[in-house]
Amino acid sequence: MRKLENLIPPPVLLLLVGLAMWAVGKLPGHWNSAPLIHYGTTALLAIVGFAFNAAGFRTIRKAGSTIDPTRPSAASTLVTHGPFQVTRNPMYVGFVVMLLAWAAYLQSMWALPGPLLLVMYLTRFQIIPEERALSAKFGADFDGYATRVRRWL
C-alpha cells in the first residue's frame, strides 16, 4: 500500500472523483430543489471551497515553502498561520467542499459518497505520509502543531 502514498497529485484525484460523481450521477436517484436553493447551495459551497484552496496556496507561497504534495519532505517551512490555524490541510478541505458543491449541483444521491471517498483516500495515502515527513523534518514543532490543530476541521 505504501506505493500509493503521495503517488497521485490531489488535484488529479479531485478531477477523477468529480468525473466518477458525474458518471454515477446519471443513475436514477435524484432530488429536485428549487433553483434558488440548488444554485445557491452549489455557489456557496464552491466559493467556500475555492477560498480554502486560495488561502492555503497563498499562505504556503508567501512562507516560501513548497505546495508539491507528492514531495512533502521538500517543505522548507512549517506553515502554521492563516488558514493553517483552522485546519492542517486547508487545500484538501477546499477540494472536499468543492466536491460537495459538485454533488449539490448534480442533485444525485449516488454522487454524495464522492467527497467522503476523497477524504478517506487523502487521509490514508496523502496526509498521513505528509505528516510523517513533516514530523521527521520539523520534530516537536510539527508534533505540537498537530496536537493543537485538527487534520480536517
Side-chain angles (χ1 to χ4, degrees):
M1 287 296 216
R2 279 199 172 222
K3 290 182 182 192
L4 292 174
E5 291 182 354
N6 302 113
L7 179 66
I8 304 171
V12 173
L13 286 170
L14 175 71
L15 180 63
L16 292 173
V17 174
L19 287 171
M21 289 169 63
W22 174 76
V24 299
K26 294 186 174 296
L27 298 171
H30 292 83
W31 67 85
N32 290 312
S33 302
L36 181 64
I37 293 171
H38 177 210
Y39 295 114
T41 301
T42 299
L44 178 65
L45 288 169
I47 290 166
V48 169
F50 181 78
F52 266 100
N53 271 304
F57 180 84
R58 188 173 48 252
T59 304
I60 286 178
R61 278 289 188 213
K62 209 176 215 182
S65 197
T66 182
I67 61 154
D68 183 355
T70 63
R71 295 182 36 236
S73 59
S76 60
T77 306
L78 179 61
V79 181
T80 60
H81 57 285
F84 292 90
Q85 294 174 35
V86 178
T87 172
R88 295 196 307 260
N89 300 288
M91 290 178 280
Y92 299 155
V93 168
F95 287 164
V96 171
V97 176
M98 285 192 282
L99 282 182
L100 288 170
W102 183 229
Y105 177 77
L106 294 171
Q107 296 189 96
S108 169
M109 68 178 198
W110 301 109
L112 290 174
L116 178 61
L117 292 173
L118 184 67
V119 166
M120 292 172 17
Y121 187 92
L122 283 175
T123 299
R124 170 57 186 92
F125 296 109
Q126 193 65 43
I127 295 172
I128 290 173
E130 283 178 7
E131 291 179 345
R132 210 174 28 242
L134 293 173
S135 182
K137 185 162 194 159
F138 299 108
D141 288 339
F142 175 78
D143 296 339
Y145 169 67
T147 60
R148 289 188 313 276
V149 178
R150 291 180 179 198
R151 181 178 283 158
W152 288 98
L153 283 178

